[in-house]
Amino acid sequence: MTKTELPGELEAPDMATNAKGVIAVATKEPFTVIVRDAEGTITRHPAPGRVFSMSIDPTGRVWTMFVDADPFVVDGDRALPLEGLVGQNLHPSSITFMG
């Protein structure tokens, strides 16, 4: 038997779902965003810090905001950083998609 969980997966500070069955879970220690897509494929993405907020858009992309780190979006098997959105006078506080 192969152990599949990461350390920290028993504590998930945030999770998100969408109507198409995509599920995203943020873990801590290590900071990780785990995404299960609508077909059941699971991907794990190292995160730059503690997750503050997550939301999944209608196409299944996971938009993730962190405490004191630039956000990123998970699109399929890629985590794309959205650099420059956290700065001295700019700190986004949430992201939400309706529908």
Side-chain angles (χ1 to χ4, degrees):
M1 180 176 284
T2 302
K3 190 174 180 178
T4 59
E5 71 270 4
L6 290 172
E9 285 187 16
L10 297 179
E11 285 190 62
D14 199 5
M15 68 181 299
T17 62
N18 78 355
K20 294 184 178 180
V22 179
I23 302 169
V25 177
T27 67
K28 60 182 187 179
E29 297 179 23
F31 296 122
T32 307
V33 174
I34 302 167
V35 180
R36 179 194 172 275
D37 68 19
E39 289 78 37
T41 302
I42 297 172
T43 56
R44 290 177 168 88
H45 305 277
R50 186 168 60 92
V51 168
F52 178 76
S53 176
M54 283 193 308
S55 189
I56 304 173
D57 70 20
T59 66
R61 293 176 298 189
V62 180
W63 299 80
T64 307
M65 302 185 79
F66 301 96
V67 175
D68 296 327
D70 282 321
F72 71 58
V73 60
V74 174
D75 187 5
D77 61 352
R78 301 176 302 154
L80 308 168
L82 303 172
E83 297 174 352
L85 293 180
V86 174
Q88 183 177 1
N89 297 316
L90 179 62
H91 293 278
S93 61
S94 67
I95 188 162
T96 304
F97 295 95
M98 303 296 195

